[in-house]
Amino acid sequence: MNQTWSFACPDWVDRLRTGRSLLPPLPLNQARADRAVRIFDKLRVPDIAGQPSFGEATGEWFRDIIRAAFGSLDDQGVRHVPEIFALVGKKNGKTTNGGGLIMTALLVNEVPRGEMLFIGPTQEIADLAFQQAAGIIEADEEGYLQKRFHVIEHLKMIRDRRNKAFVKIKTFDMRVMTGSKPIMVLIDELHIMGSLHYAARVLGQIRGALQAKKNSFMLIISTQSDEPPAGVFRTELDYARAVRDGKIAQARMLPLLWEFPASMQLDETKPWADPANWPMVMPSLGRIFQLDAMLAGYHEAREKGPVEERRWASQHLNVEIGVALGGWEGTAYWGAAGDESITLDALIARCDVAVVSIDGGGLDDLLGLAVIGRDRASRDWLCWAKAWAQPDVLDRRKRIAPRLLDFARAGDLVICEHATQDFEDVAAICAKLHGAGLLPEKAGIGLDPAGVTHIIDALAAQGMEGDLVVAVPQGWRLSGAVKGLARKLKDGTFWHAGCAMMAWIVGNAKPEQRGNATVIEKAAAGEAKIDPLIAVLGAVQLMSRNPEAHGGPSVYETRGLIEVDL
């Protein structure tokens, strides 16, 4: 791709604030771009009263997509914008506009028998997409579209009678590419596909088929996920953001992301909840929907509690859910306490004492380890956590498998290569802390009393046993740690490594009130794992005893850091 085709848009925040286009300056074929926009604008929206034209109903944001998609085709038949990733909230007309794009593509297409696919995540959304495209044809008052295109209801297909090109509406599954050789693909609501373990493979098949053609094009258009982004959606969103921010120069994808900057999403004052800021991420506001309607929906969601408020914000404002609100009270402060500089070695270097807690470890479970150290200068608590999973988890928990694989790629979760790797790795970390002289003489390593024989043996093999290793009571006995950790998160004296895995796990915490005790049970979280959080709470329990290191000054101060390969 020529260097002039740069998809970076470093001033995107300012563009959103001032209502300007997110389309970076591209050397488009203006005649092709204008022709496609004119065709798109003349089509009629089938599901709005009075059936206005797309030119009347649709904002400039979607015309930018049309311009980039069709104006990037040069005279040699090469399309210089082969992919677009558009992130836009509900009520902005994604599916309807997608139908308009597909019909525009059919009208400008010059490839005989060219195949185009509109892929929805579910049968319902796929059917809706087909009805939108068919409705556009029916809404043509002059009858031109009815004469040119044959709508085949039972096949969910629309065929051009002139050159036999056609569009098929399909549901996203392993068979989506069976018998297909498309020149154009539109994928709707990718976020719903994030939990599908086969989604990356299917998307790879689609890309493989398209990349064989120099004039091919793919549009991915999606709302933000109502859960922490995972799987293929997480991968594509991260790639799109990196391109937008100029971190990837030679990119395949043009990103158009209507989302608030991270600073606004993480701010405890919730600036994203101020309707004055909504036009930044609602490009169709004032056209196909009005502010009053959005306010009514938001107020209703807010009355139902923080969980529903955040869910609404994820779907309409593209506010990314890092930790779910409305569960454990500490979740509201978890994000702001992240500090990516906290590694295990940094914790060792900064702290005068540390404790370790270990929890979980079943074949369909996670084994969580948490280290909490006390900063020798500030006395703040620094937390570093890691998890292990046997491969069985990926088979038994297919819904969360893509998410777990994301955490493994990030280095926060280890998928064990042999049956005892988790115990051996945990013992090595404990030995590293013990060798640094940071563990207290007593109660330095805490374990869930259930099923700890193998861990105790692994620790003993490293010379750690006796009073150093203790049981940490579970259930209601952790209530003090549950409340204490929430307090320290709020007052800014607890810091963690800011990893996505722990953000997800903290969001899974579902507290139950039992008398005066607040209990976070594994069973309450169901399929969504919380073992590393229980490990953190166990470490909080140990650190709350105000321990002193048994080993005196850390050997790291005189010998340098010892690296452990995990």
Side-chain angles (χ1 to χ4, degrees):
M1 185 177 292
N2 191 292
Q3 279 294 112
T4 58
W5 290 88
S6 172
F7 299 154
C9 188
D11 61 340
W12 63 275
V13 176
D14 184 60
R15 287 172 178 250
L16 287 175
R17 287 200 171 105
T18 56
R20 291 182 291 140
S21 170
L22 290 180
L23 190 65
L26 299 175
L28 299 173
N29 182 315
Q30 205 57 51
R32 291 182 186 272
D34 291 345
R35 176 173 179 251
V37 168
R38 285 195 302 271
I39 291 172
F40 174 79
D41 281 351
K42 288 180 180 179
L43 300 175
R44 296 202 165 271
V45 182
D47 58 352
I48 295 181
Q51 295 185 324
S53 68
F54 278 89
E56 296 169 312
T58 301
E60 282 300 306
W61 71 276
F62 203 83
R63 290 188 189 83
D64 281 343
I65 293 175
I66 297 289
R67 292 184 182 100
F70 299 101
S72 62
L73 189 69
D74 67 19
D75 293 337
Q76 285 72 47
V78 177
R79 199 179 304 271
H80 292 277
V81 180
E83 293 186 22
I84 296 177
F85 185 105
L87 185 73
V88 65
K90 285 186 175 180
K91 303 300 182 184
N92 284 283
K94 295 186 308 301
T95 302
T96 300
N97 286 329
L101 183 144
I102 284 290
M103 292 308 304
T104 301
L106 281 172
L107 287 162
V108 303
N109 171 62
E110 298 176 356
V111 180
R113 299 185 180 276
E115 178 181 3
M116 305 173 196
L117 299 179
F118 193 124
I119 301 173
T122 64
Q123 186 64 48
E124 181 181 4
I125 293 176
D127 288 345
L128 175 61
F130 177 75
Q131 294 304 323
Q132 294 298 327
I136 290 170
I137 295 172
E138 294 171 1
D140 177 23
E141 296 176 346
E142 298 178 2
Y144 172 78
L145 297 181
Q146 292 95 316
K147 293 177 182 177
R148 179 166 172 176
F149 297 107
H150 180 204
V151 178
I152 310 172
E153 287 273 354
H154 68 286
L155 295 179
K156 296 292 186 288
M157 180 190 293
I158 298 172
R159 186 179 292 278
D160 187 342
R161 291 187 172 98
R162 284 188 173 184
N163 61 11
K164 307 303 180 183
F166 62 96
V167 58
K168 290 195 73 172
I169 313 298
K170 290 191 174 185
T171 303
F172 190 92
D173 60 31
M174 289 291 287
R175 300 165 298 173
V176 71
M177 292 304 292
T178 301
S180 292
K181 296 181 179 179
I183 59 172
M184 181 173 291
V185 175
L186 192 157
I187 299 177
D188 196 13
E189 296 293 27
L190 184 68
H191 76 92
I192 299 177
M193 306 164 195
S195 62
L196 301 176
H197 67 279
Y198 56 80
R201 178 180 171 187
V202 174
L203 191 57
Q205 291 174 346
I206 294 171
R207 279 205 172 100
L210 291 173
Q211 287 170 357
K213 302 175 179 66
K214 62 182 182 179
N215 65 339
S216 65
F217 172 71
M218 178 166 69
L219 171 63
I220 298 173
I221 188 164
S222 183
T223 302
Q224 180 57 262
S225 175
D226 59 2
E227 296 180 343
V232 68
F233 179 66
R234 170 89 276 169
T235 302
E236 297 300 318
L237 180 58
D238 285 348
Y239 181 86
R241 286 170 173 166
V243 174
R244 175 195 63 190
D245 297 340
K247 297 176 181 178
I248 299 176
Q250 301 297 312
R252 67 172 187 269
M253 175 190 289
L254 170 65
L256 298 171
L257 312 177
W258 283 270
E259 62 176 356
F260 293 116
S263 59
M264 290 181 66
Q265 297 195 41
L266 296 174
D267 192 325
E268 290 181 23
T269 64
K270 299 194 298 188
W272 52 263
D274 183 352
N277 291 322
W278 291 0
M280 290 176 64
V281 295
M282 290 183 171
S284 291
L285 185 64
R287 284 183 173 267
I288 61 175
F289 66 94
Q290 302 300 318
L291 181 61
D292 288 348
M294 300 305 294
L295 281 171
Y298 173 63
H299 290 150
E300 180 181 350
R302 191 173 61 183
E303 288 298 316
K304 293 178 180 178
V307 170
E308 182 60 20
E309 178 188 25
R310 191 78 177 194
R311 189 207 63 76
W312 186 95
S314 74
Q315 296 300 280
H316 295 87
L317 303 175
N318 282 333
V319 174
E320 181 176 329
I321 294 181
V323 291
L325 299 180
W328 170 51
E329 58 185 344
T331 60
Y333 309 103
W334 184 267
D339 180 353
E340 294 182 2
S341 71
I342 299 176
T343 62
L344 180 60
D345 287 332
L347 184 149
I348 290 172
R350 291 173 56 182
C351 295
D352 61 3
V353 66
V355 294
V356 185
S357 179
I358 304 158
D359 185 83
L363 291 181
D364 66 343
D365 221 342
L366 302 184
L367 176 67
L369 172 144
V371 180
I372 292 181
R374 187 175 60 212
D375 188 289
R376 65 170 55 88
S378 68
R379 309 293 286 179
D380 289 351
W381 293 6
L382 312 182
C383 179
W384 178 85
K386 198 174 185 73
W388 289 258
Q390 295 294 330
D392 309 58
V393 176
L394 303 178
D395 292 327
R396 300 183 185 187
R397 306 294 186 187
K398 284 185 167 39
R399 183 175 179 276
I400 62 171
R403 195 180 301 277
L404 298 181
L405 291 172
D406 284 346
F407 300 150
R409 283 188 286 270
D412 302 316
L413 171 71
V414 176
I415 306 296
C416 295
E417 296 180 0
H418 56 85
T420 59
Q421 181 180 350
D422 45 1
F423 304 139
E424 294 166 7
D425 287 355
V426 163
I429 291 172
C430 292
K432 182 172 184 175
L433 292 160
H434 195 234
L438 286 183
L439 297 181
E441 182 177 6
K442 297 180 179 180
I445 302 174
L447 305 175
D448 178 350
V452 296
T453 304
H454 294 296
I455 298 178
I456 290 176
D457 290 344
L459 291 171
Q462 296 273 6
M464 293 169 288
E465 51 190 339
D467 291 340
L468 174 63
V469 183
V470 298
V472 176
Q474 304 290 294
W476 65 268
R477 295 178 181 86
L478 282 176
S479 181
V482 172
K483 295 177 180 178
L485 177 55
R487 170 67 67 170
K488 291 188 72 64
L489 283 165
K490 183 174 183 178
D491 66 24
T493 58
F494 182 95
W495 302 91
H496 58 81
C499 71
M501 179 189 73
M502 285 304 301
W504 175 67
I505 284 167
V506 168
N508 293 334
K510 307 297 181 186
E512 297 178 2
Q513 201 66 30
R514 298 181 186 174
N516 292 327
T518 302
V519 181
I520 295 177
E521 295 281 7
K522 297 179 187 178
E527 194 174 55
K529 302 303 181 182
I530 60 169
D531 305 274
L533 175 59
I534 300 300
V536 171
L537 294 172
V540 168
Q541 194 90 312
L542 297 178
M543 186 57 79
S544 296
R545 301 176 182 180
N546 195 28
E548 296 295 330
H550 177 57
S554 169
V555 295
Y556 291 85
E557 295 178 11
T558 57
R559 301 181 189 175
L561 296 176
I562 299 173
E563 297 293 337
V564 176
D565 186 17
L566 296 176

